[in-house]
Amino acid sequence: MWDDLKNWQARRHAELAGPDSWLGLAGLFWLEPGLNSVGSADGSVVQLPGGPAHLGDLSWQDGRVMWLPLAGEERELQTDIVGQPTVVEFQNWAFFPVDRENRIAIRLRDRNWAASQPFTGLDYFDFDPAWQIEAQWQALSPPISMEVPNVSGDLKVVEVSHQAVFEVAGQTVTLLPMAVSDKEVFFVFRDRTSGKESYGAGRFLKANPAVNGKIRLNFNCAYNPPCAFTPFATCPLPPPENWLPFAVPAGERKWVKPG
């Protein structure tokens, strides 16, 4: 298990140190219906840090996002609603559309971000096998609808049909999943370390799908959400149901930006 954890930590480091890291985000720009200018000119909807005053326009209408460059062919951009978004490259910059409850934003990324401030790594709580918990995976009948806020203040309604139920120090608690697929179950939670030793807005946790009514929660792999690293993310916040009444000294600690 220790080797698995070290491999997971190494993958986390590679993800955050790479050119597509959350640390490389340089902007988040909300589009309005119709034409949205892209360039370095003041007043551009998508403001580039450099380059031409007007690189092109993004057209958002009828649920479609079209890229209309001043030089080159126009093309439709896919958002991240069903997978990887379409990326537009310009010099060391890249931008792409994201869909947030039928609102469209453009994320801008600097792929050369690490040249000025390379990623120095993450801090972790010591590995503790006690935080590898086998929880009951209980069906909710009827399922519940839960409003999940994000850091931008938007609400997303999540349909929840199961809950993880487990015991810590004689106290029975539950966690409600934010998303369930045939590959993984995704949770967002807070605990008594949040805002002190770990990130204040909570942490993420992924688990393999339940087997025979049980799900394994390995809090040693609890990790910081993207909004711990950039103001240009739109992370879900843990609902009150997932505020654990005890400390979980496992997984990633709070990340502190160098300098």
Side-chain angles (χ1 to χ4, degrees):
M1 184 57 212
W2 175 244
D3 288 342
D4 291 342
L5 180 63
K6 296 303 287 184
N7 289 336
W8 175 79
Q9 291 176 354
R11 291 194 299 273
R12 279 287 289 162
H13 184 96
E15 173 190 5
L16 289 166
D20 291 333
S21 170
W22 290 102
L23 291 163
L25 288 186
L28 180 72
F29 308 96
W30 295 96
L31 300 186
E32 297 291 341
L35 285 181
N36 298 264
S37 58
V38 179
S40 62
D42 291 342
S44 297
V45 176
V46 179
Q47 182 88 49
L48 301 180
H54 188 200
L55 185 65
D57 295 287
L58 288 160
S59 170
W60 176 34
Q61 56 189 0
D62 301 325
R64 302 174 68 195
V65 180
M66 300 294 299
W67 170 230
L68 313 173
L70 293 188
E73 297 183 1
E74 67 179 60
R75 55 176 170 147
E76 183 172 0
L77 305 184
Q78 299 299 318
T79 72
D80 62 344
I81 195 70
V82 292
Q84 293 296 318
T86 307
V87 178
V88 177
E89 308 273 0
F90 174 70
Q91 297 177 0
N92 60 298
W93 305 98
F95 61 86
F96 51 93
V98 297
D99 188 313
R100 294 298 177 267
E101 302 304 298
N102 297 317
R103 297 173 65 207
I104 303 297
I106 296 296
R107 278 204 180 116
L108 177 66
R109 173 174 281 138
D110 176 7
R111 289 218 164 112
N112 288 346
W113 67 272
S116 59
Q117 193 170 60
F119 180 56
T120 56
L122 295 162
D123 290 328
Y124 295 90
F125 292 99
D126 291 338
F127 169 71
D128 187 346
W131 289 107
Q132 299 173 117
I133 293 173
E134 187 173 72
Q136 301 293 321
W137 188 237
Q138 295 181 354
L140 294 172
S141 183
I144 63 173
S145 293
M146 182 169 58
E147 286 190 334
V148 178
N150 67 22
V151 295
S152 299
D154 299 319
L155 291 175
K156 178 180 181 179
V157 177
V158 176
E159 298 294 325
V160 184
S161 62
H162 287 77
Q163 62 182 359
V165 182
F166 57 99
E167 188 176 290
V168 172
Q171 187 171 7
T172 300
V173 294
T174 64
L175 277 182
L176 300 178
M178 298 295 101
V180 178
S181 71
D182 57 357
K183 294 183 179 179
E184 64 185 24
V185 181
F186 174 61
F187 300 92
V188 184
F189 73 95
R190 280 178 59 99
D191 67 276
R192 290 291 178 86
T193 71
S194 299
K196 302 170 185 174
E197 298 163 285
S198 66
Y199 182 59
R203 288 180 287 171
F204 289 176
L205 180 66
K206 291 181 179 179
N208 290 326
V211 177
N212 298 325
K214 295 184 184 299
I215 187 168
R216 186 177 180 82
L217 306 177
N218 185 3
F219 287 95
N220 293 287
C221 294
Y223 62 101
N224 292 320
C227 53
F229 305 100
T230 175
F232 305 123
T234 55
C235 306
L237 298 172
E241 294 89 342
N242 285 4
W243 289 29
L244 298 177
F246 45 76
V248 180
E252 287 183 11
R253 292 177 175 267
K254 183 190 299 185
W255 181 74
V256 179
K257 185 176 181 180

